[in-house]
């Protein structure tokens, strides 16, 4: 199988420029959450970058002004891919050489990363809105989005 790491890096870098560094921040967030997780998450950095490469660029660009928007979009994107595995299986790595989710183990790892990100989003939302108990992913995203507007 061909692998074009420099093309991958260039494409991710170009996409990152379009969103004011929001893509790299989202990738770094995922890598940090993976590293801090209690259990191993079997997604290599290359695949994490590829996953976030397909996130909503407009939402990631909001991170230039408000970094909680990056957390909100990262959580939303991972959640979406988990609940839409057929859609996730259609995504290719940026250099186009293979599908990101080419094994069931990677879909399982996506679930683990998504759950970890859900918990982080809820914790941050609860910390931000001390008067509400945030218990759902949708409510967490709402609190994070409202925080961006303030």
């Amino acid at each position: 199988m061909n692998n074009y790491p420099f093309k991958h890096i260039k494409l991710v870098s170009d996409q990152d420029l379009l969103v004011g560094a929001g893509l790299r921040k989202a990738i770094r967030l995922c890598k940090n959450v993976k590293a801090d997780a209690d259990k191993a998450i079997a997604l290599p950095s290359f695949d994490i970058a590829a996953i976030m490469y397909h996130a909503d660029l407009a939402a990631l660009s909001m991170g230039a002004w408000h970094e909680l928007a990056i957390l909100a979009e990262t959580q939303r994107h991972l959640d979406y891919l988990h609940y839409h595995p057929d859609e996730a299986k259609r995504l290719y790595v940026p250099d186009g050489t293979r599908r990101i989710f080419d094994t069931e183990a990677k879909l399982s790892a996506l679930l683990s990363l998504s759950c970890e990100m859900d918990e982080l989003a809820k914790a941050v939302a609860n910390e931000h809105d001390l008067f509400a108990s945030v218990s759902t992913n949708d409510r967490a995203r709402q609190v994070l989005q409202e925080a961006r507007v303030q």
Side-chain angles (χ1 to χ4, degrees):
M1 170 177 21
N2 292 329
N3 187 1
Y4 303 103
F6 296 111
K7 183 177 180 183
H8 169 87
I9 291 167
K10 170 81 168 111
L11 291 168
V12 170
S13 294
D14 289 350
Q15 190 97 311
D16 188 53
L17 286 173
L18 293 175
V19 297
L23 177 57
R24 286 197 191 271
K25 289 177 182 178
I27 293 166
R28 175 59 44 211
L29 174 63
C30 288
K31 289 178 182 181
N32 285 333
V33 167
K34 175 188 166 189
D36 291 344
D38 291 335
K39 68 179 191 172
I41 298 175
L43 279 174
S45 294
F46 186 90
D47 288 340
I48 289 173
I51 291 166
M52 293 315 300
Y53 181 84
H54 294 285
D56 184 319
L57 297 181
L60 286 178
S61 70
M62 297 304 291
W65 298 278
H66 186 67
E67 292 190 346
L68 289 180
I70 294 168
L71 172 57
E73 173 53 18
T74 301
Q75 186 275 330
R76 185 214 58 83
H77 183 61
L78 295 174
D79 206 45
Y80 175 82
L81 292 177
H82 164 65
Y83 284 108
H84 299 90
D86 291 336
E87 192 72 25
K89 290 177 186 177
R90 289 187 200 111
L91 298 179
Y92 277 84
V93 297
D95 66 16
T97 56
R98 66 171 173 80
R99 293 183 193 269
I100 300 168
F101 297 100
D102 54 359
T103 66
E104 287 301 314
K106 287 184 184 177
L107 283 172
S108 179
L110 169 65
L111 171 59
S112 297
L113 183 59
S114 181
C115 288
E116 292 288 332
M117 199 64 67
D118 291 347
E119 293 307 310
L120 176 61
K122 289 174 195 172
V124 170
N126 276 322
E127 190 172 302
H128 195 292
D129 187 353
L130 299 176
F131 300 107
S133 177
V134 176
S135 60
T136 67
N137 295 335
D138 289 336
R139 178 67 181 130
R141 278 193 299 272
Q142 180 183 7
V143 168
L144 295 173
Q145 295 297 335
E146 288 171 1
R148 179 179 56 204
V149 173
Q150 294 176 355

